[in-house]
């Protein structure tokens, strides 16, 4: 039994140390799944005295009004006989208290540090562990006493605030409620019974304790309550007789107080038959046994939660990435590996494994043809423009057979307008490639880990794409210029010959040719320009893919890799300066993962041993 409860205590302490105790969390945690005992009672109901009797030490602050103003998570750890008793606070992890008067003062001081010197309350718990050979292994949570009125120095809503705080603990399905009620008051007015009944109507989680039995009016007793006749609980009531204020003032020893308590129940006629199950020592044993029973029943659920949490933590840890190497070679290798991962993702976008590459095809299949189609060749080949260029091409002597130079000028002036769509296609693909860099950066988890490296890779890829765009623009525009600069001899051989121009020699030299002849020239030129347009519609995508897409797949980070080899160790290290939040998160998850794996192994061993 003690080994099982000790294990739970150990896990709870580890959870607390890692801040994984769930008091302020809406998500289930390992702490929430581990049973604990919450001590609930009205103000001055004797809660503190019951706790001190179980521990066997004076260690809780005393006084009038609300003394307990923060939850006290108290873990009792049984140690070997003859060992020195001591206490430890979570907020003072390396300090041992052997003087329990100092423990009381530290509880009061730590309360004031959180709440100030006011009489306000706080839901932030104080965590205290007591190691003693005179205790049983238990986890107890001492909560502020329920009250009905606010006193001077407290807010008007403190009554509801205290009740809300108490509820936040006892509503948890793994919480065992230790309901403290004074025997010298009517049980019907007991705050502890009222709130326990509301959160645990079946009574499966509630244990009742009756205090101040020795202070009842003469002629009255608590037998009917202790026997469960007046108010029945699932578990038998336990009566305790705490030290009187006079005993406390005289520093009466706890051991002596326990003996007097036993004598009281064994010698008082009304309670003699109940004596074996009365007193603080019996209460401690009952609580320990009950806690063990509850823990055993919860083991399957605890195992399930731990397994699920371990899997979630391992997944998150893998997404955060591994810590970096310390040496320069290891750092360079890490940078290169991350860049290769990014490069691989980028290629997957272009190759269709991931989305985005299809947008490039859309440029070639829709945007480029539409842009070429919008070119207004009719303006270039209007009758006025044809007449003007043909006549100017004749110079001082009219051509005899075909106006070769005129044809050249008409074709060149039409084809040169195709530079616009060609350049637009280059720019459109550049924008898509640049956007795919952004996507690949966001889809490379390792780059999220290192903001400086992410920025450098982004800049390097962007600069590389700019160089590729300029090379592509140069090559693509050359395709258009080549069509302008050379017409084959076959084109002129196949021109329709028309010796009769139809002009009037007596008229101006600008009126040499009739409209029919000029229209024939326009039709011939338009046919050739359309043929070139079809050819460029096919060759421009080839140029763009060769100079931009293929190069982006082949050498996007080549320049960056060359520069990496020249970097000094200090500069290389700066690329791997992690986001502090990521480092902190990884450290926290690693610690939690160690805790959960350890807990998993220990709880599994207990489960198999059953």
């Amino acid at each position: 039994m003690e080994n099982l409860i000790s294990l739970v205590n150990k896990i709870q302490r580890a959870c607390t140390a890692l801040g994984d105790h769930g008091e302020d969390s809406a998500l289930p945690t390992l702490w929430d799944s581990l049973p604990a005992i919450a001590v609930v009672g009205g103000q001055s109901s004797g809660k503190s005295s019951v706790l001190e009797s179980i521990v066997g030490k004076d260690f809780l602050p005393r006084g009038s009004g609300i003394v307990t103003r923060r939850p006290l998570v108290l873990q009792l750890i049984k140690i070997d006989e003859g060992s020195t008793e001591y206490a430890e606070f979570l907020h003072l992890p390396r300090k041992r208290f052997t003087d329990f008067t100092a423990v009381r003062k530290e509880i009061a001081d730590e309360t004031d540090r959180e709440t100030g010197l006011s009489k306000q309350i706080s839901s932030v718990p104080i965590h205290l562990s007591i190691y003693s050979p005179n205790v049983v292994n238990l986890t107890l949570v001492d909560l502020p006493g329920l009250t009905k009125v606010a006193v001077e120095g407290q807010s008007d809503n403190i009554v509801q605030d205290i009740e809300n705080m108490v509820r936040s603990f006892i509503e948890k399905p793994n919480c065992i409620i230790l309901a403290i009620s004074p025997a010298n008051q009517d049980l019907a007015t007991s705050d502890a019974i009222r709130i326990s009944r509301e959160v645990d109507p079946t009574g499966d989680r509630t244990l009742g304790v009756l205090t101040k039995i020795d202070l009842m009016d003469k002629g009255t007793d608590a037998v009917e309550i202790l026997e469960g006749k007046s108010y029945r609980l699932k578990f038998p009531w336990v009566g305790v007789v705490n030290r009187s204020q006079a005993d406390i003032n005289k520093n009466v020893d706890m051991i002596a107080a326990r003996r007097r308590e036993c004598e009281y129940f064994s010698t008082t006629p009304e309670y003699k038959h109940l004596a074996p199950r009365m007193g603080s020592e019996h209460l401690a044993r009952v609580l320990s046994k009950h806690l063990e029973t509850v823990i055993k029943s919860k083991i399957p659920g605890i195992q399930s939660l731990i397994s699920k949490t371990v899997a979630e933590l391992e997944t998150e840890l893998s997404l955060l990435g591994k810590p970096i190497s310390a040496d320069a070679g290891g750092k360079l290798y890490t940078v290169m590996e991350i860049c290769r991962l990014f490069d691989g993702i980028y290629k997957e976008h272009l190759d269709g494994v991931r989305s985005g590459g299809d947008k490039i095809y859309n440029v070639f299949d829709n945007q480029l043809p539409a842009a070429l189609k919008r070119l207004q060749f009719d303006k270039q080949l209007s009758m006025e423009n044809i007449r003007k260029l043909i006549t100017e091409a004749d110079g001082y002597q009219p051509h005899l057979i075909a106006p070769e130079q005129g044809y050249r000028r008409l074709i060149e002036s039409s084809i040169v307008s195709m530079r616009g769509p060609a350049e637009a296609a280059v720019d459109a693909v550049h924008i898509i490639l640049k956007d795919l860099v952004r996507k690949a950066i966001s889809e490379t988890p390792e780059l999220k880990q290192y903001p400086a490296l992410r920025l450098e890779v982004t800049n390097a890829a962007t600069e590389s794409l700019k160089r590729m765009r300029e090379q592509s623009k140069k090559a693509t525009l050359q395709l258009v210029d080549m069509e302008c600069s050379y017409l084959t001899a076959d084109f002129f051989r196949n021109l329709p010959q028309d010796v009769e121009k139809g002009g009037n020699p007596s008229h101006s030299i600008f009126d040499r040719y009739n409209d029919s002849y000029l229209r024939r020239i326009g039709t011939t030129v338009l046919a050739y320009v359309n043929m070139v347009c079809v050819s460029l519609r096919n060759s421009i995508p080839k140029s763009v893919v060769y100079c931009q897409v293929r190069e982006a797949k082949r050498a996007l980070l080549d320049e960056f890799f060359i520069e990496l080899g020249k970097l000094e160790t200090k500069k290389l290290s700066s690329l791997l300066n992690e986001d502090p939040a990521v480092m902190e998160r990884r450290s926290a998850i690693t610690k939690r993962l160690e805790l959960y794996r350890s807990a998993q192994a220990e709880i599994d061993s207990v489960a198999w041993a059953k």
Side-chain angles (χ1 to χ4, degrees), residues 214-491:
D214 56 328
L215 300 181
M216 295 181 72
D217 293 337
K218 287 185 179 182
T220 62
D221 60 58
V223 173
E224 288 197 354
I225 297 175
L226 295 175
E227 289 180 345
K229 296 176 182 177
S230 176
Y231 184 82
R232 180 174 293 278
L233 291 174
K234 185 172 182 178
F235 304 99
W237 282 83
V238 178
V240 296
V241 174
N242 298 324
R243 292 178 302 163
S244 66
Q245 189 60 47
D247 290 337
I248 295 170
N249 294 339
K250 293 176 184 177
N251 292 320
V252 172
D253 183 74
M254 280 289 186
I255 305 301
R258 285 179 179 177
R259 283 198 300 267
R260 287 173 56 177
E261 182 184 42
C262 290
E263 289 173 6
Y264 175 84
F265 284 111
S266 61
T267 58
T268 303
E270 292 83 0
Y271 306 116
K272 193 172 183 179
H273 67 293
L274 299 171
R277 60 182 182 86
M278 296 292 119
S280 54
E281 287 188 279
H282 174 74
L283 175 61
R285 290 192 297 270
V286 167
L287 290 176
S288 186
K289 185 175 181 180
H290 185 64
L291 183 58
E292 179 209 10
T293 303
V294 174
I295 290 171
K296 284 182 178 179
S297 70
K298 300 294 183 182
I299 281 179
I302 295 171
Q303 288 174 307
S304 176
L305 173 64
I306 291 176
S307 297
K308 180 182 177 183
T309 307
V310 165
E312 291 172 352
L313 292 174
E314 287 176 339
T315 299
E316 186 174 355
L317 195 60
S318 67
L319 291 175
L320 291 174
K322 298 177 181 179
I324 60 172
S325 303
D327 61 287
K331 289 176 180 177
L332 179 60
Y333 176 81
T334 299
V335 172
M336 297 287 283
E337 278 299 299
I338 293 173
C339 290
R340 289 190 187 99
L341 289 171
F342 157 76
D343 199 45
I345 292 172
Y346 189 72
K347 288 176 182 176
E348 287 179 357
H349 278 291
L350 293 175
D351 291 336
V353 178
R354 298 174 188 247
S355 63
D358 54 308
K359 293 181 179 179
I360 296 175
Y361 176 74
N362 182 61
V363 171
F364 301 150
D365 197 51
N366 291 309
Q367 295 181 31
L368 176 63
L372 290 171
K373 192 174 182 179
R374 284 195 297 270
L375 294 176
Q376 297 178 344
F377 296 126
D378 54 336
K379 289 184 178 180
Q380 296 291 335
L381 300 176
S382 65
M383 294 294 291
E384 293 77 9
N385 197 45
I386 294 173
R387 187 187 305 277
K388 177 176 180 293
L389 290 179
I390 292 295
T391 303
E392 288 177 353
D394 280 353
Y396 67 91
Q397 182 176 342
H399 68 270
L400 300 177
I401 300 176
E404 178 181 336
Q405 193 62 30
Y407 272 104
R408 291 184 186 280
R409 291 183 182 181
L410 283 170
I411 291 172
E412 181 179 349
S413 66
S414 297
I415 292 178
V416 77
S417 64
M418 298 182 194
R419 288 173 63 94
E423 194 169 0
V426 171
D427 289 337
V429 170
H430 172 76
I431 290 171
I432 294 170
L433 293 175
K434 192 175 175 181
D435 186 60
L436 292 181
V437 166
R438 180 189 59 78
K439 282 188 176 181
I441 289 284
S442 67
E443 292 169 9
T444 308
E446 292 77 5
L447 284 175
K448 295 179 183 177
Q449 188 175 343
Y450 308 109
L453 179 58
R454 181 172 67 240
L455 180 62
E456 289 296 325
V457 170
T458 303
N459 291 340
T462 303
E463 287 301 315
S464 185
L465 290 177
K466 284 182 181 177
R467 289 193 296 271
M468 294 171 189
R469 177 185 62 182
E470 294 310 310
Q471 184 62 33
S472 177
K473 191 170 290 187
K474 181 179 178 182
T476 304
L477 293 179
Q478 281 179 339
L479 290 176
V480 179
D481 294 343
M482 283 188 284
E483 294 290 350
C484 295
S485 62
Y486 182 74
L487 300 178
T488 62
D490 287 341
F491 171 77

Side-chain angles (χ1 to χ4, degrees), residues 86-90 92-93 95-97 127-131:
Y86 67 94
E88 287 183 343
F89 287 93
L90 176 66
L92 299 171
K95 184 174 181 179
R96 286 189 176 186
F97 291 78
H127 292 269
L128 172 65
S129 299
I130 294 179
Y131 300 78

Side-chain angles (χ1 to χ4, degrees), residues 320 578-591:
L320 291 174
E578 280 190 284
D579 184 337
V582 173
M583 295 173 67
E584 187 177 340
R585 182 64 180 159
R586 185 194 296 109
S587 176
I589 290 176
T590 301
K591 289 177 181 177

